[in-house]
Each structure stands twice: as C-alpha cells, then as structure tokens.
C-alpha cells in the first residue's frame, strides 16, 4: 500500500519522497455523466483550499471531447491542473493503466455516480482495503456504509443529496477520519472485509 502511494505521489505529482500524511482521493473510470466526474471537479478546489493544498485528487479515465459533458470536464481539468499541479491530476486524452496501483495507493476512492445498478469499482477499492465515498444510489447504497465512530463499523462515507456541497461534506468527514490513524485503519479493515 505505501509503495503504491509513493508511486502515485512521485509519478503524478513530482514528490521527491512519499508524504503519507497527505490523503489521496481518486476516481478511476469513464468520464461520463453517470459516473459524476463533474461533481468531483466542482468540489476539487474547495477540497484543496480546505486542506491548504495538503491533498491529492487524481481522476484516471478517458472521455470523448465531442461529448458536451466531457468537454465541460476537460475545461475544469485544465484549469485545476494548471492552478494546482501539486494537488490535482487528470488526463482525459490518455488510456489510464495504473488502476490497480491507484486502488491500493489511495486513501479514499471517489464514486459519486448518479446511478449505479450494481457497481464493481467499489469492490476493487475494497479488495485493496480502500474506503469509498459514494452517492447513495443503486448498488452503492447496498455496499458502501457510513463509518460510525462509536461502533467502528462502516467502510466509507455516503451522501444523499446529489450536489457538490453534499459530496464535500462527506469528504470533510473522511478528512476527520484520516486524521485519526487508529479509526482510519479500522475503516480500511472494514472495507477489505466487505469486498465481494
């Protein structure tokens, strides 16, 4: 896990050596409206500001620039990469091949899908012991459960209103958890044990 996080930080963000105190949030998948990529992009700047730039947001996936939704994503991606190269990375023009390393090296997986009948990607994160932040819909609602501090149950964080603000609130809760290493490790253990 640490080797994969080091790999992400060096390859995509130019770190000289790993900083394991910087949380890594990642999305791996197609750039489509269904997957909610624009919502991640809308929340990204606030996340970066909230953490004083001590965060990594990686969006791994391709999209067709002829699709108006993808074109909107590309505009935001270019803005974020230009302004925050130390905290944000995406390349919609290139097939993304580092998925397994991202699953292992991320601290949280992002799945703000508008709809997700079943969902496979959350289980790819879970098998790597990576908690998931997901919109409460379809198969995600059935498999991603809010971490509960009092009972140490849950394998991630969920949000119920499909807005960047509600996603941001879920991410804020995840940042609090990440700051508590013992609780965070328990959530990772829960995630791994909930993989199908």
């Amino acid at each position: 896990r640490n080797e994969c996080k080091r790999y992400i930080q060096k390859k995509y963000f130019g770190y000289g050596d790993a900083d394991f105190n910087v949380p890594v949030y990642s999305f791996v998948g197609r750039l489509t409206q269904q997957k909610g990529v624009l919502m991640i992009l809308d929340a990204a700047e606030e996340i970066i500001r909230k953490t004083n730039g001590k965060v990594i947001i990686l969006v791994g996936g391709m999209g067709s620039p002829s699709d108006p939704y993808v074109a909107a994503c590309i505009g935001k991606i270019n803005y974020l990469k230009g302004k925050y190269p130390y905290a944000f990375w995406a390349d919609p023009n290139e097939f993304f091949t580092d998925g397994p390393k991202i699953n292992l090296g991320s601290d949280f997986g992002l799945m703000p899908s508008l709809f997700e009948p079943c969902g496979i990607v959350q289980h790819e994160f879970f098998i790597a012991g990576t908690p998931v932040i997901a919109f409460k819909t379809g198969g995600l609602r059935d498999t991603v459960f809010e971490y509960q501090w009092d009972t140490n149950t849950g394998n991630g964080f969920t949000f119920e209103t499909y807005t960047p603000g509600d996603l941001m609130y879920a991410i804020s809760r995840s940042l609090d958890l990440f700051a508590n290493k013992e609780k965070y490790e328990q959530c990772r253990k829960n995630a791994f044990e909930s993989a199908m």
Side-chain angles (χ1 to χ4, degrees):
R1 169 176 132 197
N2 284 347
E3 281 309 305
C4 287
K5 188 166 183 175
R6 180 179 283 111
Y7 173 87
I8 293 166
Q9 290 180 334
K10 289 180 89 165
K11 178 175 178 178
Y12 295 99
F13 299 91
Y15 279 46
D17 195 16
D19 185 343
F20 298 121
N21 292 315
V22 174
V24 175
Y25 290 82
S26 64
F27 166 89
V28 179
R30 294 170 291 120
L31 303 191
T32 65
Q33 189 164 10
Q34 177 200 346
K35 300 297 181 184
V37 179
L38 205 48
M39 186 169 303
I40 296 169
L41 303 176
D42 285 341
E45 194 159 28
E46 188 179 344
I47 299 163
I48 293 166
R49 286 183 182 152
K50 181 179 176 64
T51 58
N52 293 316
K54 297 287 186 187
V55 68
I56 281 175
I57 303 163
L58 186 147
V59 175
M62 288 184 76
S64 168
S66 62
D67 178 335
Y69 182 86
V70 176
C73 287
I74 290 171
K76 290 203 176 228
I77 284 168
N78 291 337
Y79 165 76
L80 291 164
K81 271 182 85 170
K83 191 167 182 182
Y84 307 105
Y86 54 87
F88 180 87
W89 184 91
D91 187 351
N93 301 312
E94 214 170 283
F95 184 73
F96 191 71
T97 57
D98 277 335
K101 285 189 175 82
I102 303 305
N103 290 340
L104 274 167
S106 296
D107 297 299
F108 295 96
L110 296 171
M111 293 192 68
S113 299
L114 181 58
F115 59 94
E116 198 68 65
C118 176
I120 295 169
V121 175
Q122 75 270 36
H123 294 292
E124 293 173 346
F125 278 118
F126 289 158
I127 201 71
T130 302
V132 170
I133 297 168
F135 180 55
K136 232 173 172 179
T137 186
L140 297 175
R141 179 184 57 233
D142 298 332
T143 54
V144 181
F145 304 105
E146 184 80 13
Y147 183 77
Q148 304 296 325
W149 286 67
D150 52 347
T151 59
N152 287 318
T153 57
N155 55 15
F157 294 91
T158 59
F159 61 105
E160 297 186 28
T161 307
Y162 201 71
T163 62
D166 217 25
L167 169 60
M168 186 63 219
Y169 180 47
I171 289 170
S172 294
R173 298 194 304 278
S174 75
L175 286 166
D176 290 341
L177 179 67
F178 184 75
N180 184 316
K181 296 307 177 193
E182 185 181 338
K183 295 278 188 185
Y184 173 70
E185 288 303 324
Q186 180 61 53
C187 188
R188 285 195 75 103
K189 183 171 181 283
N190 296 350
F192 178 73
E193 289 174 352
S194 60
M196 285 186 180

